[in-house]
Amino acid sequence: AQTVTQSQPEMSVQEAETVTLSCTYDTSENNYYLFWYKQPPSRQMILVIRQEAYKQQNATENRFSVNFQKAAKSFSLKISDSQLGDTAMYFCAFMNLGVSKLTFGKGITLSVRP
Amino acid sequence: EAEVAQSPRYKITEKSQAVAFWCDPISGHATLYWYRQILGQGPELLVQFQDESVVDDSQLPKDRFSAERLKGVDSTLKIQPAELGDSAMYLCASSRTGGSYNEQFFGPGTRLTVL
């Protein structure tokens, strides 16, 4: 079975600064997807960024980028130029190729200070 | 922009009572998921439907939980009887089917409190 570990329960960052959220996972599979989801207070969860394990290039979406280290089974999210609207819970998640079940980590609460 | 709808948004009930949650997926999404998110945890899949058929219900406590998607569109998740440990956020998600990857879109959730 796959497991996803987010060991930092919460983080805080000053507006306009950069923050990195950590995630490790465990799997015996070779082909899979990794995700970061954002869950703002009282709002629905949305997908921030996706990484395919077979791609060596790290995914980037505007201010969001990942550092995917397949051998180390590490998948961190970097948020540049943090904005107040980035305040939310962030979940790291795993999905096997061909299976649509998501396995989530416990999440991290990110607070952006004005 | 199409969204997943859920109702009610909040539900307070006493233990041993029956509760039901409703989900309407994005139109055209054949796959529907119910997740349970306990406070301070990540969501955990309870049941997955492909059209009206259950694909995965391995984590569904079948002695008290049931889920149906009779016409392959909207879905209902029921708990009977509710227990204190059922207090959680119940999330519904939907996705298209086919291909190697389909993004899951989440609804706003139903927050259940069992007293």
Side-chain angles (χ1 to χ4, degrees), chain B:
Chain B
E1 183 174 306
E3 294 185 339
V4 176
Q6 289 188 249
S7 67
R9 293 291 306 275
Y10 304 91
K11 179 69 177 179
I12 299 174
T13 190
E14 294 185 347
K15 66 177 182 178
S16 79
Q17 296 298 304
V19 292
F21 314 130
W22 177 80
C23 172
D24 191 14
I26 293 172
S27 179
H29 283 192
T31 307
L32 184 146
Y33 314 80
W34 283 102
Y35 290 87
R36 178 171 61 185
Q37 184 179 13
I38 296 171
L39 187 65
Q41 306 280 334
E44 176 189 33
L45 181 69
L46 290 175
V47 60
Q48 176 183 341
F49 288 92
Q50 175 69 40
D51 297 310
E52 66 275 10
S53 300
V54 173
V55 173
D56 183 352
D57 64 356
S58 57
Q59 299 302 311
L60 188 71
K62 299 180 186 64
D63 57 335
R64 299 184 300 107
F65 286 63
S66 64
E68 61 182 17
R69 194 184 183 197
L70 294 176
K71 297 183 178 179
V73 181
D74 58 338
S75 176
T76 302
L77 178 69
K78 298 178 181 178
I79 309 175
Q80 182 174 19
E83 296 181 352
L84 297 178
D86 297 331
S87 294
M89 177 76 85
Y90 291 82
L91 299 171
C92 180
S94 70
S95 70
R96 295 187 182 278
T97 303
S100 61
Y101 168 73
N102 291 286
E103 181 178 346
Q104 292 187 26
F105 294 86
F106 286 81
T110 295
R111 182 167 295 282
L112 173 67
T113 301
V114 182
L115 303 175

Side-chain angles (χ1 to χ4, degrees), chain A residues 33 35 37 39 42 44-45 47 50 91 95 100-102 104-106, chain B residues 3 9 33 35 37 40-43 45 48 100-101 103-104 106-107:
Chain A
Y33 297 101
F35 309 87
Y37 279 87
Q39 188 176 38
S42 301
Q44 57 254 57
M45 192 173 303
L47 178 64
R50 179 181 92 243
F91 293 93
M95 179 191 291
S100 54
K101 174 181 177 179
L102 283 166
F104 287 88
K106 288 187 175 183
Chain B
E3 294 185 339
R9 293 291 306 275
Y33 314 80
Y35 290 87
Q37 184 179 13
Q41 306 280 334
L45 181 69
Q48 176 183 341
S100 61
Y101 168 73
E103 181 178 346
Q104 292 187 26
F106 286 81

